[in-house]
């Protein structure tokens, strides 16, 4: 997110008011107090129980970017159907408390945005660089969202199709959509830049180390193995 509408900032109106100030610690102030409390509880639950988020938090700590919940996660009201975002200017993850109301949705959003935070920490991503942005969106979709089932539900594949190809198309679709939202560019431009960096970014699976299948033990196994890389206590 950036400070103008061409960077998707208009989806997060409270960014204008807060200017980097976390609303997570202001749960009982102003409108949406109940949403604040619910969001804060969901975020806390995700950090305590979600294996993927535990890995990401541990990996950022390993790279010198320890997460302070009150500083780095902000529950806010958002416009439209947006569920979350990452603000590189304040180094904050935004959870859209009016849209990401379920714990499962909150964990999904938190994981996606923590990939961006990890990339900013590890690779010093320049979010104004379209190729950098496309790369981190590819990685977030790859690690946190797309599976064969997701691709099938979105119509990217059938039970008779090429699973790897359908998985990659799901990732490209989500990355292109995210780039368009953040940078307000044409679909053709977004697709071209995603295609350009796709292979390199698709194969970078740090810090999870694998593509986790839905409804499997993969996340727990990845967490168990993360101590080998110093990503867990």
């Amino acid at each position: 997110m950036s400070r103008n509408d061409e960077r998707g900032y208009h989806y997060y109106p409270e960014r204008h008011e807060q200017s980097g100030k976390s609303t997570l610690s202001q749960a009982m102030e102003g409108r949406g107090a109940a949403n604040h409390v619910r969001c804060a509880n969901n975020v806390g639950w995700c950090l305590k129980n979600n294996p993927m988020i535990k890995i990401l938090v541990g990996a950022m700590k390993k790279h010198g970017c320890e997460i302070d919940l009150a500083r780095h996660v902000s529950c806010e009201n958002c416009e439209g159907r947006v569920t979350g975002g990452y603000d590189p200017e304040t180094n904050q993850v935004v959870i859209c408390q009016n849209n990401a109301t379920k714990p499962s949705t909150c964990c999904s959003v938190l994981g996606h945005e923590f990939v961006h935070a990890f990339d900013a920490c590890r690779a010093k991503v320049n979010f104004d660089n379209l190729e950098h942005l496309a790369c981190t969106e590819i990685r977030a979709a790859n690690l946190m969202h797309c599976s064969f089932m997701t691709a099938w539900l979105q119509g990217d594949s059938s039970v008779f199709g090429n699973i790897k190809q359908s998985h990659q198309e799901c990732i490209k679709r989500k990355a292109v959509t995210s780039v368009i939202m953040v940078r307000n560019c044409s679909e053709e431009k977004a697709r071209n830049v995603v295609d350009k960096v796709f292979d390199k970014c698709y194969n970078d699976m740090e810090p999870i180390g694998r593509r986790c299948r839905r409804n499997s033990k993969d996340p727990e196994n990845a967490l168990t193995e993360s101590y080998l890389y110093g990503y867990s206590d």
Side-chain angles (χ1 to χ4, degrees):
M1 295 182 297
S2 181
R3 299 303 184 196
N4 58 65
D5 288 348
E6 293 183 355
R7 299 296 188 268
Y9 190 62
H10 58 284
Y11 290 113
Y12 312 93
E14 292 192 23
R15 297 275 92 187
H16 296 284
E17 302 168 8
Q18 301 294 337
S19 186
K21 184 179 180 182
S22 173
T23 59
L24 193 59
S25 61
Q26 298 180 335
M28 297 308 295
E29 295 182 12
R31 58 188 174 86
N35 283 345
H36 274 300
V37 172
R38 178 173 57 193
C39 179
N41 288 339
N42 287 343
V43 169
W45 188 92
C46 293
L47 265 69
K48 182 179 179 181
N49 295 285
N50 188 282
M52 305 282 271
I53 293 173
K54 287 182 178 181
I55 295 171
L56 284 161
V57 170
M60 282 187 275
K61 181 178 180 180
K62 176 70 173 182
H63 284 275
C65 302
E66 188 166 0
I67 293 295
D68 177 349
L69 187 60
R71 164 65 183 85
H72 295 113
V73 180
S74 181
C75 291
E76 302 176 10
N77 290 307
C78 304
E79 296 292 337
R81 299 175 64 183
V82 176
T83 54
Y86 174 68
D87 187 343
E89 295 186 25
T90 59
N91 190 26
Q92 281 188 316
V93 167
V94 176
I95 305 296
C96 296
Q97 62 190 23
N98 55 321
N99 293 329
T101 57
K102 297 180 180 179
S104 58
T105 306
C106 181
C107 291
S108 179
V109 172
L110 200 59
H112 181 108
E113 306 307 336
F114 271 167
V115 172
H116 298 326
F118 173 78
D119 286 350
C121 175
R122 178 191 64 153
K124 311 304 179 188
V125 168
N126 177 4
F127 286 83
D128 287 328
N129 182 310
L130 206 59
E131 291 185 13
H132 287 200
L133 175 62
C135 187
T136 191
E137 293 294 355
I138 289 166
R139 283 180 24 77
N142 190 17
L143 294 173
M144 295 295 160
H145 292 290
C146 289
S147 64
F148 172 70
M149 180 60 69
T150 301
W152 182 76
L153 290 172
Q154 292 182 347
D156 292 323
S157 72
S158 71
V159 292
F160 304 106
N162 184 299
I163 294 178
K164 181 178 180 181
Q165 183 179 353
S166 65
H167 178 253
Q168 292 182 353
E169 187 55 38
C170 173
I171 292 167
K172 288 182 179 182
R173 180 195 294 267
K174 186 162 184 63
V176 166
T177 300
S178 296
V179 169
I180 292 171
M181 288 181 64
V182 174
R183 292 297 295 272
N184 195 27
C185 62
S186 69
E187 182 176 354
E188 180 181 8
K189 185 175 183 179
R191 184 76 187 203
N192 286 341
V193 73
V194 166
D195 286 341
K196 181 178 180 179
V197 302
F198 185 80
D199 288 344
K200 179 180 179 180
C201 302
Y202 176 75
N203 290 312
D204 179 1
M205 290 179 283
E206 283 295 310
I208 307 300
R210 65 178 73 192
R211 298 180 184 94
C212 294
R213 296 165 297 174
R214 180 176 291 186
N215 299 324
S216 73
K217 292 293 184 180
D218 288 347
E220 288 81 2
N221 292 337
L223 179 61
T224 300
E225 295 168 2
S226 67
Y227 80 93
L228 297 172
Y229 308 97
Y231 293 165
S232 62
D233 295 330

